[in-house]
Amino acid sequence: MGEKSWLRRRIKDGLHRGFQHAYETVKVDPARFLLQLRAAYGLPITNLQGVYSVEITRLDDLATRFIRSGMKVAAVEGAGLGLGGMLTIVPDLSILAGITLRTIQKLSLVYGFEYSTDEETAELWIAAASAAGVDISRELLEKEVINKFVPRVIQRIAVQASGEVVEKWSGRVIPVASSLIGAGLNYYFVRAWGERARAHFRERHLETRNRIVKGSDAILLLDSAQGMQK
């Protein structure tokens, strides 16, 4: 029991530091990402809002690609640092947090959500919390400024995630096997968080898309009515 409690504290501290560092330094540039969507994946869009006119299945396919890419990077990183067993668990988790956050950022952009404003940044971290299984109250968002809101969310993510993975990470105490274990755990960590984050953004995307369609229909009806009056 004491060993697991110690391990959970180590995991919580590692994730907390990793996500805090990622919040301050890790950011997928939306403009470059837009160019990638156009050049590498052939999306016929001139800005990220254009994804609302793209078939949802195509966006889902791209989301799957970015999740898988993050999973592969995380696996390689986990295999390398996993050789150190428990000695490298904190730096490993810090890097894993950065990989996970970049994956979530890409999913956010794929479904049309940037994070250039404080409100958008808060929404990104709400998605990260959702991926970790943490329900963030909208009241908390309304009451806190961004530089206080995000650290509180990170703390709750770290607490939740540490409890979720402590049993699996206990295998890192075996130095010889820890490389393979680290690769596998990182791989499935990013997959699980990526899939939950995708579900969050996809749901929001469909809600926004429906509002756009209703708005367009209302404009068409208004134009038609004005035309009949003439």
Side-chain angles (χ1 to χ4, degrees):
M1 181 67 69
E3 183 177 296
K4 287 186 177 180
S5 178
W6 173 83
L7 180 60
R8 179 168 181 170
R9 287 196 302 271
R10 293 275 291 181
I11 291 173
K12 180 175 72 68
D13 291 344
L15 286 170
H16 186 274
R17 293 177 189 175
F19 278 114
Q20 184 65 43
H21 179 71
Y23 165 54
E24 296 167 353
T25 63
V26 176
K27 185 175 181 180
V28 176
D29 181 76
R32 289 189 177 184
F33 190 75
L34 173 61
L35 291 176
Q36 182 183 1
L37 291 178
R38 295 173 59 186
Y41 301 106
L43 289 193
I45 58 177
T46 57
N47 55 55
L48 285 172
Q49 295 305 305
V51 298
Y52 292 102
S53 62
V54 176
E55 288 289 334
I56 188 66
T57 53
R58 194 168 182 185
L59 300 182
D60 292 340
D61 288 341
L62 287 174
T64 298
R65 288 193 184 194
F66 291 125
I67 292 173
R68 288 177 178 172
S69 176
M71 290 161 57
K72 291 176 182 177
V73 173
V76 171
E77 179 271 331
L81 284 177
L83 291 171
M86 293 305 296
L87 294 176
T88 56
I89 190 170
V90 172
D92 179 35
L93 284 168
S94 295
I95 296 171
L96 178 60
I99 294 170
T100 303
L101 183 59
R102 282 185 64 85
T103 301
I104 292 174
Q105 288 174 339
K106 290 178 181 179
L107 295 173
S108 178
L109 295 171
V110 162
Y111 287 108
F113 303 107
E114 295 188 51
Y115 32 82
S116 56
T117 67
D118 284 353
E119 183 178 356
E120 290 168 344
T121 299
E123 286 289 348
L124 179 73
W125 282 98
I126 289 174
S130 175
V134 177
D135 182 24
I136 300 297
S137 169
R138 291 287 167 176
E139 294 180 1
L140 177 63
L141 173 58
E142 293 172 357
K143 292 179 180 179
E144 297 281 7
V145 294
I146 191 68
N147 62 350
K148 292 183 178 180
F149 172 76
V150 173
R152 289 182 63 179
V153 173
I154 289 174
Q155 176 65 22
R156 293 180 63 176
I157 288 174
V159 171
Q160 176 72 17
S162 63
E164 180 181 334
V165 303
V166 65
E167 292 290 341
K168 298 176 182 178
W169 277 86
S170 60
R172 288 286 294 270
V173 300
I174 310 172
V176 176
S178 64
S179 179
L180 289 177
I181 294 172
L185 290 175
N186 283 15
Y187 183 88
Y188 289 108
F189 184 93
V190 173
R191 185 178 76 170
W193 282 48
E195 290 296 342
R196 291 190 292 240
R198 171 166 63 176
H200 175 91
F201 288 123
R202 192 179 193 276
E203 181 180 357
R204 286 192 59 215
H205 174 93
L206 291 174
E207 290 173 356
T208 304
R209 183 177 285 227
N210 287 335
R211 286 199 299 269
I212 292 173
V213 170
K214 289 180 180 178
S216 298
D217 290 344
I219 292 173
L220 288 175
L221 287 172
L222 179 61
D223 289 344
S224 176
Q226 291 176 339
M228 292 177 64
Q229 290 177 357
K230 292 180 181 180

